[in-house]
Amino acid sequence: MSIASDLIRGHTETIILSNLLQHDSYGYQINKAIQQKTSGQYELKEATLYTAFRRLEEAGCITSYWGDESSGARRRYYAITTRGRLTFARLKAEWDTAKELIDALIAEEGESYAD
Amino acid sequence: MSIASDLIRGHTETIILSNLLQHDSYGYQINKAIQQKTSGQYELKEATLYTAFRRLEEAGCITSYWGDESSGARRRYYAITTRGRLTFARLKAEWDTAKELIDALIAEEGESYAD
DNA sequence: GTAGATACATTGACAGGCGAGGTAGCCTGT
DNA sequence: ACAGGCTACCTCGCCTGTCAATGTATCTAC
């Protein structure tokens, strides 16, 4: 893996919610989408993915239902709720804040020697 | 606290190393510097700070020595090692990568409907 | 003399990530 | 017929980093 999991920790739920904004989806597909979006640089581990689904459903951010596949493996689809959308907006805003804070905290000083 | 600790998780060591790049420092001062840099929006919890020092020292990224304060509380100073500087560079690069990945993963789609 | 700041340290609990393992149906090649 | 691989889901138990609580000691101010 090219990226440490502690750097992603706390973003798992945001990433999942993000993937459900446009349309319902299911675990396997969401993970494939993540791999595509990152050009294979990142993927969620299955255990991580499914425990996150549990948390999100418990929190009322998503609901789930079984797809009616006539063939192939069964799929549990997830749909984002209104609460989920609000949560996503909040998490995204927190991310923007965190990003700035961290950048400020690990910036190498001495770059502002004007004056 | 205005920012979830899971979002910072994994950055603690990077932040500490960053604070040692210019000059030696000690726990209390580093934490004050963090508060200043983030305008009070963030601070490390003491337990987190000191366990991070242990990890970093064990890993050979920093060394420590007692200051010779003639008055006031004793201070344990930390100095960054060469290995520490290399580690910092690596962590910073990882952060830049992670930042882009996460941005790509939680970006709201549908913004590119040109064509 | 006590309240608050400086400064360091440890313990035990908690939560999220994940390796390892399991279930089950479908498809392809031999 | 069946082995191997893909799709697709799920759970147990460990590991690691964070943190509340608690403790130590010194100095300053009232």
Side-chain angles (χ1 to χ4, degrees):
Chain A
M1 199 197 324
S2 58
I3 175 174
S5 48
D6 267 340
L7 295 192
I8 295 289
R9 190 182 176 119
H11 297 292
T12 307
E13 299 182 8
T14 318
I15 292 168
I16 291 174
L17 289 177
S18 170
N19 270 274
L20 293 173
L21 286 177
Q22 305 297 318
H23 49 76
D24 298 3
S25 190
Y26 56 96
Y28 202 84
Q29 190 178 57
I30 288 176
N31 216 6
K32 288 288 173 217
I34 291 171
Q35 287 174 44
Q36 269 191 13
K37 286 180 187 173
T38 61
S39 313
Q41 286 177 89
Y42 191 62
E43 60 168 335
L44 289 177
K45 300 296 148 42
E46 293 198 356
T48 304
L49 185 64
Y50 291 111
T51 53
F53 279 141
R54 295 291 154 276
R55 279 200 305 278
L56 284 167
E57 192 159 19
E58 235 173 280
C61 290
I62 57 175
T63 54
S64 69
Y65 57 92
W66 286 103
D68 57 347
E69 275 65 48
S70 51
S71 81
R74 64 194 180 151
R75 298 171 178 168
R76 184 196 282 275
Y77 282 86
Y78 294 95
I80 189 168
T81 64
T82 301
R83 177 190 288 272
R85 288 180 193 279
L86 291 172
T87 301
F88 174 75
R90 183 175 54 73
L91 290 174
K92 190 164 190 264
E94 280 179 20
W95 162 239
D96 287 334
T97 304
K99 203 163 45 169
E100 275 175 43
L101 288 187
I102 295 170
D103 271 336
L105 287 172
I106 73 176
E108 277 153 295
E109 290 142 43
E111 296 168 42
S112 55
Y113 36 74
D115 269 63
Chain B
M1 197 195 325
S2 59
I3 175 174
S5 48
D6 267 340
L7 295 192
I8 295 287
R9 190 178 177 120
H11 298 293
T12 307
E13 299 182 8
T14 318
I15 292 169
I16 291 174
L17 289 176
S18 170
N19 270 275
L20 294 173
L21 285 177
Q22 304 298 316
H23 49 76
D24 297 4
S25 189
Y26 55 97
Y28 202 84
Q29 190 177 58
I30 288 176
N31 216 5
K32 289 289 173 214
I34 290 171
Q35 287 173 46
Q36 270 190 13
K37 286 180 188 172
T38 60
S39 313
Q41 287 177 87
Y42 191 63
E43 60 167 335
L44 288 177
K45 300 297 150 37
E46 294 198 355
T48 304
L49 186 64
Y50 291 111
T51 52
F53 280 141
R54 295 292 155 272
R55 278 201 305 277
L56 284 167
E57 192 159 19
E58 235 173 281
C61 290
I62 58 174
T63 54
S64 70
Y65 57 93
W66 286 103
D68 56 346
E69 276 64 49
S70 51
S71 80
R74 63 191 179 151
R75 298 171 179 168
R76 184 196 282 274
Y77 283 86
Y78 295 95
I80 191 168
T81 64
T82 301
R83 175 189 291 272
R85 288 180 193 278
L86 291 172
T87 301
F88 173 76
R90 184 174 53 74
L91 291 174
K92 189 164 191 265
E94 280 179 20
W95 162 238
D96 287 333
T97 304
K99 203 164 45 169
E100 275 174 44
L101 289 187
I102 295 169
D103 271 336
L105 287 173
I106 73 176
E108 278 154 294
E109 291 143 44
E111 296 168 41
S112 55
Y113 36 74
D115 269 61

